[in-house]
């Protein structure tokens, strides 16, 4: 999955001996392609997951969540621009 790929990349590149920084901040709700019902449906699942995490005390009202999927396009250096 994409988190595993990220962790492998970080292990190669990271000079701070952190094998997979921020891994504990990532939540992936995997859905098999045969069960998927489109991007709007997937975003509603995400909203439900966030609500559950908040109810369980895993998130706070001021936490920031970013959702991305294969239907999104990114500009070069978008992450630096956001910060």
């Amino acid at each position: 999955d994409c988190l595993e790929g990220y962790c492998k990349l970080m292990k190669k590149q990271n000079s701070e001996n952190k094998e997979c920084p921020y891994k504990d901040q990532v939540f992936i709700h995997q859905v098999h392609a045969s069960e998927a019902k489109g991007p709007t449906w997937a975003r509603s699942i995400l909203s439900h997951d966030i609500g559950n995490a908040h109810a369980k005390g895993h998130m706070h009202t001021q936490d920031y969540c970013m959702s991305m999927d294969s239907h999104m396009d990114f500009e070069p250096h978008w992450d630096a621009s956001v910060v």
Side-chain angles (χ1 to χ4, degrees), residues 2 11 15 21 35 43-45 64 68-70 74 77 79:
C2 60
K11 188 174 184 177
S15 61
E35 297 173 9
R43 290 179 188 125
S44 73
I45 296 296
Y64 176 81
M68 61 181 105
D69 60 37
S70 62
F74 292 92
H77 309 291
D79 51 342

Side-chain angles (χ1 to χ4, degrees), residues 18-44:
K18 292 183 179 178
E19 286 193 18
C20 195
Y22 313 113
K23 181 179 180 178
D24 62 334
Q25 297 177 22
V26 176
F27 173 78
I28 298 173
H29 185 131
Q30 291 185 337
V31 177
H32 191 275
S34 65
E35 297 173 9
K37 298 176 179 132
T40 304
W41 173 81
R43 290 179 188 125
S44 73

Side-chain angles (χ1 to χ4, degrees), residues 3 6 12-13 36 43 49 52 54 57 60 69 76-77 82:
L3 184 57
Y6 164 75
K12 287 181 191 175
Q13 294 182 351
R43 290 179 188 125
D49 289 341
N52 283 341
H54 184 264
H60 304 286
D69 60 37
H77 309 291
V82 170

